[in-house]
Amino acid sequence: MIPAQTQPKPYKEVITDKAISHTGLFTVHRVEEKWYFEIPDSILGRDILVSTRYSKTAAGGNYGGEQVNLQTIRWDKGPAHTLFMRILTIVNVAADSSQPIAQAVTNSNMNPIAAAFDVKAYGKSADSTSGTTVIEVTDFFKGDNQPVSLTPAIKRRFNLAAIDAPRSYIESIHTFPINTEVRTVKTYTSAPTPATPVMGGRAPAGSLAAADAAGVVTVELNNSFYLLPKIPMRRRLFDPRVGYFASQYTTYGDDQQRVEETEFIHHWRLEPKDEDIEKWKRGELVEPRKQIVYYIDPATPKKWRPYLIAGINDWQAAFEKAGFKNAIVGKEWPEHDSTMSLEDARFSVIRYFASDIENAYGPNVADPRSGEILESHIGWYHNVMKLVHDWYMIQTAAVDPRARKMKYDDALMGDLIRFVSSHEVGHTLGLRHNMGSSSKTPVEKLRDKTWVEANGHTASIMDYARFNYVAQPEDNITPKGLYPRIGDYDKWAIVWGYKGIPDTRNEEEDKKILNQWIIDSLKSNPRLWFGGEGQNFDPRAQTEDLSDNAMKAGEYGIKNLKRILPNLPEWSKEEADRYDNLSEMYQQLVGQYNRYMGHVLKNIGGVQETFKSVEQPGDVYEATPKAMQKEAIDFLNKNLYATPTWLLNKDILNKFSNPGLEEAVTMVQANNLKSLLSAGRLFRLYVCTGRYGSSAYSVDDLLADAKKGVWSELGPAAPIDIYRRKLQKEYVADLIALITPEPPAALPPGLPPGLLIIFTGDIRNTDIPSAARAQLVELRTEITGAIAREGDKASRNHLQDVLERIKQALNPKQ
């Protein structure tokens, strides 16, 4: 028997004359201090996306506008006058709901019930065509219920415990035709975590300043309930040759002989208006049924807003290639329109955060069933301007006089903001980073004024290619040839993801056409290659690099650094500055030098990965050519392992550093050398030699070439400077570690065991320890001979010490 108090009451007894009501996705009623949702039967069983963002947050705990939770829910009627909120976990689906296997899939995918509500009353919809269910939601939103609160991971991160009910409340609820917005204030108990205070006087790591001051942390959250389309957009199937974010799930069908993984890209729904369909089919430019609009946060400084908008509008040219004009636009936020909210899931916004973080990010929120992008809130941190300033000064000050100061003119800073805006908007359109794009630009073209100003130094704004550091002063290249821009790849990727394919029946037919687009396009223009996000061993796909040859590009980059360094005291000068600027920019310059070394290093043991379909000729995996690997070690021997004395400019270092900052340079040497001789890199050389034979660069080749550079003083028995002595000890220590290798460290649970070998290399029973031992034996002989000839005392002491270390390693029992 159902208790009497749970029985629904007549509608008028619940939603009384005191109710303040608003219709929308859910009709929202406020009756004194209670809040009610009236949910029409027409949306029962419909998929609803719930996006939770900070409206306001405690100091140090992220920023207003950032997303902190994303769930897909569904309302279902339960027994005994209850309404369930289920969380959808889309992992497996049936290809066709009418097939018998669909029932098996349903039986294997029970969605959890996140909340159960007593039905307070039943009613009728506004048009009286369907029934409605009234539930009270006051305590649900005031409480710490996971679908509408912070995730467990965030609460653990900031040491947030139980919610404090008296200090938690509903701020407001607004409802609109396809979404309902709930704003709440939640207060969590929190004890400070004992830890060493972080820089800048913030709270201890793991807790927030509010926890230390009050023992609680208060945040304001906005929940957006967004009704997903009744019929999902047709999916466009993912292809690794084009860089799109994607979702996936396992698909089952009666006609299958094996389970299939269905992976589909994230992209906006762009469709022609009904009256323009025939024009669209003929390839004429048409306006989309619904434009993609990005608003600028009114907290953004006014002088930067036009540049952010320009970065958005720059994508219009790409969408025109896909058949749509005016498809995307940036707009000022209508500040006096009370019907609009920055947290409203219907509006995409560039949110401006008052933060010292040097970054920006561009997420997208997509329908998990189809990949349709629904909205985006780009995060723009105020201090991203420092990031682009430092990049531009260190990479272009040798060729652009505007870069030679600590505060840029608004026009220059605006240009730099515009490029970052375009990059982040690209992500919200579905595009991933394309770190390989810059490798399709021949290095000498970066110095060709006519070519680079016409084509750009990389084919993709989604690359981390920053600025043209290869350009030399005598090339007279203008900013047009220095800045990143939306390029050939970006326009083509938008075509591939957004151009309509008329008259096909399903996504599988689309897939065949899209495959042919890739084949034809790459054949006619290799600059359209998607090189991935730099997470593999392909030296063509790297962050912050330029051109098809890292060694030549690095030589040009170092030439410019040598021009910039002696001028840094003048270019970084500001009134009353106590050389803080000089210290900061010197470290930025050393960091840029370190990047050049890293770009070159990745060529050694490199494996090129070029995804192809069966219709395309050539291999997917190839070792980096032997000649290029040889060129790489020669570069390192010349520009890194030979002491870079030009970086150790005492006239500059004496302005801001006690003796010791030189360690920044020696650390670049030591870290690079350790990576060069790492088990993972040597293992890749070893297996490539097994596959490709003498055409591959081998472990023996590398050890011999590295020894020539690191130990060049042994032949003539020349004095060895203090930096080289340290480097040589590092070299011997790295070799000793190779002759008695430890078992590879365990990977995190759930990752394929094969990754262990690829990344760390289990070299214990390979030829690598043998090769390392043989080189130590050679070194023992050569060092023994050099000691007798060495006239410099410090060098002789060093050699005797190293010789003893080698002897102990080779014969540990003696």
Side-chain angles (χ1 to χ4, degrees):
M1 182 176 177
I2 302 172
Q5 65 268 25
T6 66
Q7 292 286 352
K9 295 182 178 180
Y11 185 88
K12 285 294 185 180
E13 291 184 23
V14 178
I15 308 303
T16 67
D17 293 340
K18 296 180 180 180
I20 301 172
S21 303
H22 299 280
T23 59
L25 172 64
F26 313 136
T27 296
V28 175
H29 306 282
R30 184 173 185 177
V31 182
E32 297 179 333
E33 297 305 314
K34 292 184 177 181
W35 293 88
Y36 296 90
F37 277 1
E38 184 173 351
I39 301 172
D41 292 350
S42 59
I43 65 169
L44 297 180
R46 291 281 301 274
D47 294 346
I48 298 170
L49 203 65
V50 185
S51 172
T52 302
R53 298 183 184 277
Y54 287 123
S55 298
K56 298 176 184 176
T57 185
N62 300 94
Y63 300 92
E66 289 189 319
Q67 188 176 74
V68 292
N69 201 349
L70 186 68
Q71 304 277 6
T72 306
I73 70 157
R74 184 180 292 162
W75 297 105
D76 287 329
K77 286 188 176 180
H81 302 293
T82 57
L83 190 69
F84 291 151
M85 176 191 285
R86 292 186 184 272
I87 300 293
L88 272 63
T89 52
I90 301 177
V91 178
N92 304 323
V93 299
D96 185 339
S97 60
S98 65
Q99 293 178 345
I101 199 172
Q103 185 59 50
V105 172
T106 299
N107 294 341
S108 301
N109 290 274
M110 186 73 169
N111 291 308
I113 299 171
F117 299 84
D118 291 334
V119 175
K120 300 301 182 183
Y122 292 106
K124 286 284 186 182
S125 62
D127 59 6
S128 299
T129 58
S130 66
T132 62
T133 302
V134 178
I135 58 174
E136 186 189 343
V137 295
T138 314
D139 290 340
F140 177 76
F141 285 109
K142 286 172 59 177
D144 190 28
N145 292 292
Q146 187 167 326
V148 293
S149 187
L150 302 176
T151 64
I154 292 175
K155 286 184 280 191
R156 286 193 300 270
R157 176 184 173 191
F158 294 121
N159 194 32
L160 305 181
I163 199 161
D164 188 301
R167 288 179 277 188
S168 301
Y169 58 92
I170 297 173
E171 173 69 30
S172 64
I173 302 180
H174 299 285
T175 192
F176 306 96
I178 62 170
N179 63 303
T180 296
E181 307 293 321
V182 182
R183 185 167 294 190
T184 59
V185 173
K186 296 183 188 293
T187 300
Y188 295 88
T189 58
S190 178
T193 303
T196 302
V198 297
M199 295 296 291
R202 294 181 182 177
S207 62
L208 301 175
D212 191 34
V216 295
V217 172
T218 300
V219 298
E220 186 174 279
L221 300 178
N222 191 90
N223 309 119
S224 294
F225 289 77
Y226 191 103
L227 183 65
L228 294 177
K230 195 168 189 177
I231 300 175
M233 179 180 71
R234 183 193 289 188
R235 297 170 300 193
R236 185 154 290 191
L237 298 181
F238 173 78
D239 192 300
R241 294 168 293 177
V242 191
Y244 272 88
F245 293 109
S247 296
Q248 69 175 50
Y249 45 70
T250 303
T251 303
Y252 295 88
D254 283 2
D255 296 329
Q256 293 174 333
Q257 295 188 12
R258 65 176 183 179
V259 171
E260 297 176 4
E261 295 294 332
T262 299
E263 192 168 8
F264 45 92
I265 70 169
H266 292 184
H267 62 142
W268 293 85
R269 186 192 291 250
L270 281 189
E271 299 170 331
K273 300 171 185 175
D274 290 342
E275 62 269 25
D276 291 333
I277 288 179
E278 293 306 316
K279 293 180 182 178
W280 172 73
K281 288 183 177 181
R282 293 194 299 267
E284 297 179 31
L285 279 180
V286 298
E287 291 192 340
R289 187 188 306 270
K290 183 179 179 182
Q291 192 179 42
I292 304 169
V293 180
Y294 291 82
Y295 292 97
I296 307 301
D297 189 335
T300 306
K302 289 185 178 181
K303 65 180 177 180
W304 304 133
R305 296 179 192 178
Y307 297 103
L308 289 168
I309 290 173
I312 298 165
N313 292 342
D314 284 342
W315 284 99
Q316 289 181 359
F319 281 102
E320 287 175 4
K321 297 284 186 182
F324 293 99
K325 60 184 178 181
N326 300 320
I328 182 171
V329 66
K331 295 182 178 181
E332 295 262 5
W333 182 262
E335 297 184 43
H336 303 295
D337 187 342
S338 61
T339 67
M340 294 178 65
S341 166
L342 287 169
E343 282 75 40
D344 188 334
R346 293 179 300 166
F347 304 116
S348 294
V349 183
I350 297 183
R351 293 300 304 266
Y352 201 91
F353 303 146
S355 166
D356 60 359
I357 293 175
E358 299 176 20
N359 198 15
Y361 65 90
N364 63 71
V365 176
D367 185 336
R369 307 164 305 170
S370 66
E372 178 185 354
I373 297 174
L374 304 170
E375 61 96 9
S376 173
H377 277 53
I378 295 171
W380 190 277
Y381 298 105
H382 180 74
N383 217 30
V384 73
M385 290 185 286
K386 180 183 182 300
L387 181 69
V388 293
H389 167 275
D390 294 353
W391 282 339
Y392 200 70
M393 175 181 274
I394 294 303
Q395 294 180 14
T396 72
V399 297
D400 187 352
R402 301 177 306 157
R404 299 169 184 170
K405 51 187 173 182
M406 294 303 295
K407 184 176 181 181
Y408 288 164
D409 297 340
D410 287 354
L412 172 55
M413 181 54 70
D415 286 347
L416 305 184
I417 286 172
R418 178 176 182 170
F419 119 71
V420 179
S421 172
S422 288
H423 177 93
E424 301 304 339
V425 169
H427 283 316
T428 70
L429 299 176
L431 298 181
R432 291 159 51 199
H433 290 126
N434 183 1
M435 302 307 189
S437 185
S438 57
S439 71
K440 292 301 179 181
T441 303
V443 65
E444 295 302 333
K445 290 296 184 184
L446 297 173
R447 298 191 57 194
D448 182 332
K449 176 180 171 65
T450 302
W451 190 92
V452 76
E453 290 182 4
N455 297 282
H457 61 276
T458 176
S460 178
I461 194 78
M462 305 313 298
D463 199 349
Y464 274 6
R466 314 309 183 187
F467 307 104
N468 184 359
Y469 57 76
V470 169
Q472 301 293 292
E474 62 269 25
D475 300 334
N476 299 312
I477 291 173
T478 68
K480 192 174 182 181
L482 302 177
Y483 295 161
R485 69 181 81 166
I486 293 171
D488 289 353
Y489 166 81
D490 306 306
K491 295 173 183 176
W492 177 74
I494 291 296
V495 169
W496 189 90
Y498 285 88
K499 185 177 176 62
I501 306 176
D503 304 323
T504 53
R505 292 174 297 178
N506 53 49
E507 61 200 29
E508 290 297 330
E509 290 187 5
D510 291 346
K511 178 181 177 179
K512 296 175 183 177
I513 294 172
L514 293 166
N515 175 59
Q516 196 61 49
W517 286 4
I518 295 172
I519 295 169
D520 294 343
S521 299
L522 285 174
K523 187 175 182 180
S524 62
N525 185 0
R527 280 167 58 83
L528 305 182
W529 180 63
F530 173 66
E533 297 190 280
Q535 303 301 312
N536 55 12
F537 302 111
D538 192 334
R540 300 171 300 174
Q542 300 197 58
T543 62
E544 320 294 344
D545 73 326
L546 294 180
S547 89
D548 61 349
N549 188 304
M551 287 64 72
K552 292 178 181 177
E555 291 279 6
Y556 285 127
I558 290 171
K559 282 184 178 181
N560 280 337
L561 293 183
K562 288 179 177 179
R563 294 179 175 112
I564 292 169
L565 181 61
N567 288 293
L568 278 184
E570 182 62 29
W571 294 349
S572 65
K573 183 189 297 183
E574 290 185 303
E575 187 175 356
D577 173 47
R578 295 185 300 172
Y579 294 110
D580 291 338
N581 289 344
L582 180 60
S583 172
E584 184 177 295
M585 297 315 300
Y586 174 80
Q587 292 178 67
Q588 289 287 340
L589 189 143
V590 173
Q592 186 69 22
Y593 167 79
N594 182 41
R595 290 188 192 101
Y596 297 152
M597 301 305 115
H599 298 157
V600 170
L601 180 61
K602 195 169 180 181
N603 285 274
I604 301 170
V607 179
Q608 297 180 356
E609 181 181 65
T610 309
F611 290 116
K612 298 181 178 184
S613 65
V614 295
E615 297 86 359
Q616 294 174 283
D619 294 330
V620 173
Y621 293 97
E622 301 173 283
T624 298
K626 184 174 184 177
M628 184 162 279
Q629 297 196 56
K630 171 74 173 173
E631 185 182 355
I633 191 63
D634 290 345
F635 174 96
L636 295 173
N637 283 336
K638 173 186 173 184
N639 292 289
L640 178 63
Y641 302 144
T643 305
T645 54
W646 63 275
L647 275 172
L648 304 169
N649 185 321
K650 66 179 184 300
D651 293 333
I652 290 178
L653 293 175
N654 285 342
K655 296 291 193 298
F656 60 83
S657 169
N658 282 317
L661 191 62
E662 293 86 348
E663 284 293 299
V665 176
T666 61
M667 287 300 293
V668 172
Q669 291 179 310
N671 291 339
N672 183 287
L673 183 62
K674 187 174 290 295
S675 179
L676 177 75
L677 299 177
S678 66
R681 190 179 310 278
L682 295 176
F683 184 81
R684 294 195 299 278
L685 291 175
Y686 166 76
V687 295
C688 284
T689 303
R691 180 177 291 188
Y692 303 112
S694 60
S695 65
Y697 191 65
S698 68
V699 172
D700 288 333
D701 292 333
L702 172 60
L703 294 180
D705 289 338
K707 183 162 75 72
K708 288 177 187 176
V710 175
W711 291 94
S712 59
E713 297 91 344
L714 292 183
I720 308 170
D721 70 39
I722 186 174
Y723 307 105
R724 291 275 290 179
R725 294 199 294 269
K726 182 173 183 179
L727 181 69
Q728 289 170 359
K729 287 185 173 77
E730 295 278 3
Y731 185 89
V732 168
D734 292 339
L735 283 182
I736 290 172
L738 291 171
I739 66 172
T740 54
E742 296 290 331
L747 284 176
L751 291 179
L755 286 180
L756 185 65
I757 296 175
I758 295 171
F759 282 93
T760 62
D762 186 355
I763 66 170
R764 288 172 292 176
N765 296 316
T766 70
D767 293 338
I768 295 168
S770 310
R773 183 177 294 274
Q775 180 152 127
L776 285 171
V777 170
E778 287 181 16
L779 270 175
R780 181 181 61 185
T781 302
E782 294 176 22
I783 291 172
T784 300
I787 289 173
R789 302 190 303 273
E790 183 59 69
D792 178 70
K793 182 179 179 180
S795 299
R796 188 168 60 252
N797 291 342
H798 160 69
L799 291 175
Q800 288 172 338
D801 179 35
V802 171
L803 180 61
E804 190 61 31
R805 297 185 191 197
I806 293 174
K807 288 179 179 178
Q808 289 294 321
L810 293 175
N811 301 288
K813 294 183 180 180
Q814 294 183 1

